[in-house]
Amino acid sequence: MMELLAVVLVGLGTYASRSVFVLALANRRIPDAVLVALQYVAPAVLAALIVALLTDGETGQVAVGTPELAAFDLPDAVGIAGRRDVTTLPTHALYLLNSPFVVE
C-alpha cells in the first residue's frame, strides 16, 4: 500500500511541476527562431534512435539489419553537419551488385 501511495505522490508532483511551466508560459509568444528550430527536433531524434538501434555503439559498425549495409559507412550519431560528404566508393557498388540480396 505504501508503494502505491509513493507512486501516486510522485505522479502528482510531476504533474504539478510540469503544469507550473505550462501555466507560466501560456501567454508568452514563442520566438520565430525557436519555432523553426523545433521543426528539426523530431526528425533528428528519430534519426538518432534509428542509428543507435542499427549500429554498435563502440565501433559504429552495423549490428543488425541487412549485411549489405555493412559495406557503407555511417555518419557519426552525435555529430552535426550541414551536408554529408559523398563517400561512395567502387567497392560499395561492387559489394552491393554481387550480394545475394541483389542477385536474387
Side-chain angles (χ1 to χ4, degrees), residues 71-91:
F72 300 96
D73 61 338
L74 295 172
D76 187 11
V78 295
I80 298 173
R83 189 179 82 196
R84 175 102 195 276
D85 295 332
V86 177
T87 57
T88 305
L89 299 173
T91 53

Side-chain angles (χ1 to χ4, degrees), residues 40-53:
Y40 298 103
V41 171
V45 169
L46 182 61
L49 289 173
I50 290 172
V51 168
L53 288 174

